[in-house]
Amino acid sequence: MDLEFGRGMRSPQRDSWKTTLLLAYQSLGVVYGDLSISPLYVFKSTFAEDIQHSETNEEIFGVLSFVFWTLTLIPLIKYVSIVLRADDNGEGGTFALYSLICRHANVSLLPNRQIADEELSTYKLECSSERTDKSCIKVWLEKHKKLHTALLIMVLIGTCMVIGDGVLTPAISVFSAVSGLEFSLSKDHREYAVIPITCVILAFLFALQHYGTHRVGFLFAPIVLAWLICMSALGLYNIIHWNPHVYQALNPCYMFKFLKKTRKYGWMSLGGILLCMTGSEAMFADLGHFSYSAIQLAFTSLVYPALILAYMGQAAYLSKHHDFYSNSQVGFYIAVPDKVRWPVLVLAILASVVGSQAIISGTFSIINQSQSLSCFPRVKVVHTSDKIHGQIYIPEINWLLMILCIAVTVGFRDTKHMGNASGLAVITVMLVTTCLTSLVIMLCWRRPPVLALCFLLFFGSVEALYFSASLIKFLEGAWLPILLALFLMAVMLVWHYTTIKKYEFDLHNKVTLEWLLALGDKLGMVRVPGIGLVYTDLTSGVPANFSRFVTNLPAFHQVLVFVCVKSVPVPYVFPAERYLIGRVGPPGHRSYRCIVRYGYRDVHQDVDSFETELVESLATFIKLDASYRCSDASGGGGDHEPEEERGARLAVIGSSHASYDIQDSVQHSSAASVETTTTRRRSGGGDDDGSPGGGGGRAKQVRFFIDSHVASPEAADSKQVAEELEALAAARDAGTAFILGHSHVQCKPGSSLLKRLAVDVGYNFLRRNCRGPDVALRVPPASLLEVGMVYVL
C-alpha cells in the first residue's frame, strides 16, 4: 500500500510528533505485517529437527536466547539504527542502495546516460562532486568492468530472492494461521481441511489484487495492531502463569549451551530460528512510504516488545509441557488457552493475509524497478489508484505467484519444508543488503574503509551462520528458492545482455543530422499532416530504424519528434524536470528531440497525458528557443552558430523556467567512449566541469535559466515563431502516429553456443511471449506504425 506521490521525497524538516505518530500507526499495516506473524511458525520450524529435550530446559531456553539476540542484532541494530539511514531521497530497498552507489561511482551499466541527469533535484550526492579525492576502493571499482557486472548480479540475486519470498511468504503465513484448526478437528480430517482452506484463502487473496489495496488498506493497521496486542497479552499470561523465570533465557550463555549440547541438529535448527526476522527487509524497502522516525518509533515501542513477549510466552509454556515435543506439536496455538482459541485463530488468519499482501505488493514494485534497469521482460503495469502514487498491479506476475503459492502449499504440506525454503530466501536478501550497505558507507558516506569492513564482518558473519544452516537443508525444501532464483537470474541476465547489445548496435548504426537534412533533396521527401513520434533509445543522432523507414517510404510527418524514454538512477523524477526538449535541424525543418526521464519507482504515464504534455512542452520550447536565438543575435553570435551545435541544445521545460544544455556529448557506458563539449552561458561566468556517474570522463557543462514570463516579446511575436506554433497546432489536430521498431535479434555467424542459446533462443522466446514495447509505452493500436529491424549481434 503506497501513499501519495512524493511521500518518498519528504521534506528535510522534521515531522511534528502528531505526524510521526500517525505515520507510525499506518506503518503497522504496511511494513510490519510480515514480521508480526513470524511467531506462528518459528518454534515449529525450529523444533522440526531431531532435538532431544531435557528437564533443564536448556534447549528451549537456548532457542529463545537465539531469537532474542537475533531480533536485537539484525532488525533493531542493523536495520533500524544503520541501514535505514542509507536512503535514496527517502526511498529504501535493494535498488535504492544500488542507485546510491551508481551516483557516487561510475559503476552503472545503464545505457544513454547524460550529464543533464546529474542536475535533477533527486540526483543529490552526500558530498560535493567538486571533491577530487578518490578512495582506492572507488578507483578499483570504476577501473574493472567485471566488477560492475558483479555488482549488478549481486543486486539481481537479491531481487530474485525477494520475488521468491513473494511465493513462499503467503504460503507459509496463511498455512500456519489455518493450522490452528488442527486442535478442533480429528486427525483424519486435518489433512482434508487445512490444505484446501489455505488454497482457497490464497486464491481469494490474489483474485482481489487487481482492485488495489487502497479500498481495504485502512483496515490493515488496526488488524496488525490488534494482533500485536493479542500476542503481547498471550505472552504475558503464559509467562506469569507457567514460568516467570523464563527471562533468564535472555542470557547469551544459553546460546552456546544449546549449540554445545545439540551439536549438528542445533546448528541445523538455526534455519528455523532465522524466520523470526522475516519481514525485517520491509522496514527498509517501504521506507519511502513513511519516515525514518515513524518506522523507528513503531518498531522500538510496539513491534519489538510484542514479538519478544510472544516468544517468551511460548517458551514459558513449552518449558512446562514437555509432552508436545514427542508429538511434534510445537506450534503457536498450543500456548493459546482454549477459551480464546477461535478469536485468536480468526485474528491470526487476518494478520497473515495482511502480511502476505505486503510481500505481494513488494514483488510487483521490485519487478517494475527491474524493468527500469532493463533487467526484466516487459510486462503490463496497471496503476490501481488515481490518488495513491506507486500502487501497481501486474496481471501476469499476480497469476503466476498464485499458481506457485498454491503449488508450494499442496506440494510441501508442512511448515518444516516451507520454513526451510523461506528462510534461505530471507537470509540471502539480508546478505545482499549487508554487502551493498558496506559499499554505501565507503563510497557515499565517505567513512573509513575499516568502519565498512567492521560492519560487513560483524553482521555478515551472523547472517552467514544462518545462511549455512539454511543451505544445508537443500533437499528438505531449500532447493525451491535456489531453483526459482536460477531461473529468474537466467531470464534477467539474458534480457539485460541483449538489450545492452541492441543499444550498442543502434549507437554504431545511427545516421548523422546532415544525412537527414540532405535526404529531402535526394528523394523528394513528402511531409504529411500530423505529429510523428519516433521512439528510440538514443539521446543523439537519427536512429537506424527511421532511416530504414524513410529510404523505403520517402515521407514523414509535418512535425517529427524523436522520443527517448529512459530511466535514471533516482527513485523519482519531478514532473517539471521530466522532459528534455531540443531541435533536430533548423527551425524550418520542424524536427525535435524529446528525452523523457523516469526514476526506478516512477510509473509511466498514459499516452493521452503524455501527448498533451509533450505538445505543451514543445510550444514552450519554441518560444524559449526563439528568445535564446534573439539574445544570441543581439550579442553578435547567433548567425555563426554551427548547425550541429544548435541541434544539440536541450532544454528542461518546467512550470516556471527552462534550463538549456548543450548535450553534444554524453557518456555511453556500453560504448565505452567519452567526448568533450563546450557551451556558452547567457549570464554568469565561466565554464563548469561535470563528470557523469560520479566518476569516469569529464565534460564541460554550463547551465543558464530563463523565466518563461520574461521571454522577449519581439521573439515571441515574430513571424517565424507564429508559423512554427501554428504548424504544431495543425499537426496536433491532424493526429499523432507512434513509430516503433519491431526488432528481430540474431547472433553473428561464428558466435559461441552459449551466446546463440541466450540470444537466438532465450531472448527471442521472451520477446515473442511477453508484452511488446507498444504495450509498455501504452501506445493505442490505431496510431501504431512498426518498422522492421534486424539486429545482428
Side-chain angles (χ1 to χ4, degrees):
M1 184 179 72
D2 291 353
L3 302 181
E4 291 84 355
F5 175 78
R7 175 68 61 83
M9 299 176 288
R10 301 185 61 84
S11 170
Q13 298 178 353
R14 280 186 169 271
D15 294 324
S16 66
W17 64 270
K18 291 183 179 180
T19 303
T20 302
L21 283 177
L22 177 61
L23 290 176
Y25 169 73
Q26 292 175 340
S27 70
L28 294 177
V30 178
V31 178
Y32 296 110
D34 191 9
L35 184 61
S36 64
I37 58 177
S38 57
L40 288 173
Y41 46 79
V42 168
F43 277 92
K44 192 167 186 177
S45 298
T46 302
F47 288 103
E49 305 300 334
D50 189 14
I51 298 179
Q52 299 296 325
H53 184 69
S54 63
E55 294 296 330
T56 59
N57 289 321
E58 288 183 350
E59 293 81 8
I60 187 63
F61 280 15
V63 170
L64 177 60
S65 184
F66 264 108
V67 168
F68 172 78
W69 288 106
T70 300
L71 284 173
T72 302
L73 291 177
I74 304 301
L76 183 61
I77 297 179
K78 175 191 166 183
Y79 280 95
V80 173
S81 302
I82 302 175
V83 176
L84 287 183
R85 300 179 185 274
D87 66 291
D88 180 12
N89 293 279
E91 290 293 329
T94 305
F95 283 97
L97 294 174
Y98 182 66
S99 173
L100 277 175
I101 294 170
C102 289
R103 295 211 299 272
H104 288 79
N106 188 24
V107 296
S108 175
L109 294 179
L110 281 175
N112 56 37
R113 287 181 292 155
Q114 295 175 283
I115 299 173
D117 297 339
E118 299 180 16
E119 302 301 323
L120 291 169
S121 300
T122 49
Y123 201 108
K124 65 178 183 179
L125 303 180
E126 298 294 332
C127 300
S128 173
S129 59
E130 297 177 357
R131 290 184 56 173
T132 56
D133 58 313
K134 288 188 177 182
S135 66
C136 57
I137 301 295
K138 180 178 179 179
V139 174
W140 181 59
L141 282 174
E142 293 179 342
K143 183 179 180 181
H144 297 86
K145 189 69 175 290
K146 291 183 178 179
L147 293 178
H148 304 179
T149 305
L151 183 63
L152 178 63
I153 290 176
M154 182 191 301
V155 173
L156 294 183
I157 289 174
T159 302
C160 293
M161 287 300 182
V162 170
I163 299 173
D165 197 23
V167 173
L168 298 166
T169 293
I172 189 174
S173 300
V174 177
F175 179 82
S176 298
V178 176
S179 63
L181 292 172
E182 293 178 352
F183 293 92
S184 303
L185 298 173
S186 63
K187 188 175 182 180
D188 297 333
H189 293 88
R190 290 175 186 173
E191 185 176 355
Y192 301 102
V194 175
I195 300 296
I197 292 176
T198 301
C199 294
V200 169
I201 293 176
L202 289 173
F204 180 75
L205 174 63
F206 284 100
L208 293 179
Q209 291 301 310
H210 70 281
Y211 292 108
T213 58
H214 60 283
R215 302 181 190 274
V216 293
F218 67 95
L219 294 174
F220 286 177
I223 290 174
V224 176
L225 178 61
W227 172 246
L228 291 172
I229 295 174
C230 174
M231 285 196 307
S232 302
L234 290 173
L236 283 173
Y237 169 79
N238 286 319
I239 292 172
I240 297 172
H241 190 264
W242 296 110
N243 191 350
H245 301 288
V246 73
Y247 67 88
Q248 297 175 356
L250 304 184
N251 188 336
C253 294
Y254 279 97
M255 293 190 295
F256 300 101
K257 292 180 180 179
F258 172 76
L259 291 177
K260 182 179 180 180
K261 190 171 184 178
T262 55
R263 299 182 180 274
K264 176 184 176 181
Y265 294 109
W267 170 57
M268 293 176 64
S269 69
L270 296 179
I273 295 174
L274 72 87
L275 294 175
C276 71
M277 50 184 175
T278 300
S280 299
E281 187 73 21
M283 285 192 289
F284 185 44
D286 293 325
L287 179 61
H289 305 155
F290 304 99
S291 65
Y292 169 74
S293 56
I295 292 180
Q296 185 183 48
L297 176 64
F299 184 79
T300 55
S301 63
L302 182 59
V303 178
Y304 178 75
L307 289 173
I308 298 301
L309 287 175
Y311 287 116
M312 289 179 66
Q314 290 186 66
Y317 182 89
L318 292 174
S319 65
K320 300 298 182 180
H321 296 79
H322 301 161
D323 53 312
F324 284 106
Y325 288 89
S326 58
N327 297 330
S328 299
Q329 293 183 353
V330 185
F332 175 80
Y333 291 101
I334 61 172
V336 177
D338 295 336
K339 294 181 180 180
V340 296
R341 184 165 291 163
W342 278 103
V344 171
L345 173 65
V346 174
L347 189 57
I349 293 175
L350 292 175
S352 67
V353 169
V354 173
S356 301
Q357 177 60 57
I359 190 63
I360 293 170
S361 299
T363 304
F364 292 156
S365 178
I366 203 166
I367 288 176
N368 186 47
Q369 295 171 34
S370 300
Q371 284 190 111
S372 68
L373 280 178
S374 301
C375 292
F376 202 85
R378 288 180 290 267
V379 291
K380 184 179 181 180
V381 179
V382 180
H383 199 34
T384 59
S385 175
D386 295 330
K387 298 180 179 179
I388 305 176
H389 178 83
Q391 192 171 101
I392 60 175
Y393 164 71
I394 304 178
E396 301 97 320
I397 302 301
N398 180 68
W399 301 120
L400 186 60
L401 286 177
M402 185 192 75
I403 294 172
L404 291 175
C405 276
I406 294 177
V408 167
T409 304
V410 175
F412 284 157
R413 310 177 76 87
D414 61 49
T415 307
K416 175 183 176 181
H417 290 83
M418 294 183 193
N420 294 340
S422 180
L424 183 61
V426 168
I427 199 63
T428 304
V429 177
M430 291 184 174
L431 274 171
V432 170
T433 300
T434 299
C435 295
L436 294 178
T437 305
S438 63
L439 288 176
V440 169
I441 292 173
M442 284 187 295
L443 301 178
C444 306
W445 296 351
R446 296 186 181 271
R447 297 293 187 267
V450 176
L451 187 63
L453 183 63
C454 292
F455 174 86
L456 178 64
L457 290 179
F458 180 76
F459 293 106
S461 60
V462 174
E463 292 162 354
L465 176 65
Y466 284 117
F467 180 80
S468 63
S470 295
L471 198 60
I472 201 67
K473 300 178 181 180
F474 179 83
L475 298 177
E476 299 178 11
W479 57 269
L480 181 59
I482 296 177
L483 181 63
L484 287 174
L486 288 176
F487 175 77
L488 291 170
M489 279 289 295
V491 170
M492 289 180 165
L493 289 176
V494 165
W495 190 267
H496 181 75
Y497 171 80
T498 311
T499 301
I500 295 298
K501 290 299 180 182
K502 285 177 61 181
Y503 174 79
E504 292 178 356
F505 182 91
D506 284 335
L507 190 64
H508 290 108
N509 289 275
K510 66 180 181 180
V511 296
T512 61
L513 180 63
E514 291 77 9
W515 176 90
L516 179 63
L517 297 176
L519 196 62
D521 298 332
K522 294 180 180 179
L523 298 179
M525 194 67 62
V526 178
R527 304 296 289 267
V528 297
I531 300 177
L533 302 182
V534 182
Y535 281 85
T536 175
D537 290 331
L538 301 177
T539 57
S540 62
V542 179
N545 62 346
F546 180 74
S547 66
R548 181 185 181 91
F549 171 71
V550 295
T551 51
N552 287 277
L553 182 64
F556 55 89
H557 294 80
Q558 181 183 1
V559 174
L560 189 67
V561 184
F562 294 97
V563 180
C564 173
V565 180
K566 57 177 286 188
S567 296
V568 289
V570 296
Y572 301 105
V573 175
F574 286 108
E577 299 177 325
R578 193 174 305 283
Y579 294 96
L580 272 173
I581 307 290
R583 291 193 184 275
V584 179
H589 198 263
R590 306 288 192 268
S591 297
Y592 310 92
R593 184 178 308 281
C594 175
I595 299 175
V596 189
R597 301 177 291 184
Y598 288 98
Y600 56 82
R601 279 192 177 270
D602 274 325
V603 177
H604 290 209
Q605 57 198 138
D606 61 88
V607 68
D608 293 331
S609 62
F610 168 71
E611 191 175 341
T612 301
E613 290 183 12
L614 176 60
V615 173
E616 293 175 353
S617 299
L618 286 174
T620 304
F621 169 78
I622 291 170
K623 298 175 184 178
L624 293 175
D625 186 56
S627 175
Y628 171 78
R629 287 188 285 109
C630 182
S631 64
D632 254 12
S634 63
D639 297 335
H640 305 287
E641 182 181 18
E643 194 68 59
E644 60 273 11
E645 185 174 333
R646 183 190 303 163
R649 184 166 57 246
L650 298 174
V652 179
I653 303 298
S655 57
S656 61
H657 68 266
S659 64
Y660 282 68
D661 293 312
I662 300 298
Q663 298 291 342
D664 191 63
S665 77
V666 295
Q667 178 175 348
H668 303 284
S669 60
S670 55
S673 65
V674 180
E675 303 173 10
T676 304
T677 179
T678 305
T679 73
R680 294 188 305 278
R681 183 188 299 238
R682 185 183 176 191
S683 63
D687 295 334
D688 296 329
D689 290 339
S691 62
R698 304 183 64 83
K700 295 181 180 179
Q701 177 201 16
V702 179
R703 295 171 60 85
F704 58 86
F705 300 92
I706 302 176
D707 288 336
S708 57
H709 64 275
V710 298
S712 171
E714 294 81 6
D717 296 335
S718 67
K719 181 179 179 181
Q720 184 179 12
V721 173
E723 290 178 352
E724 194 169 0
L725 292 175
E726 289 176 1
L728 178 62
R732 178 195 59 191
D733 296 337
T736 304
F738 298 81
I739 304 173
L740 276 70
H742 184 82
S743 61
H744 176 75
V745 183
Q746 63 185 44
C747 290
K748 295 178 181 178
S751 299
S752 64
L753 176 62
L754 181 61
K755 184 177 180 180
R756 292 201 303 271
L757 286 175
V759 177
D760 293 346
V761 179
Y763 179 82
N764 284 317
F765 174 81
L766 293 172
R767 180 184 57 82
R768 288 191 300 268
N769 292 278
C770 295
R771 304 277 183 172
D774 55 321
V775 177
L777 296 170
R778 296 171 170 81
V779 175
S783 304
L784 176 63
L785 178 61
E786 292 187 306
V787 181
M789 189 73 186
V790 178
Y791 290 85
V792 182
L793 306 180

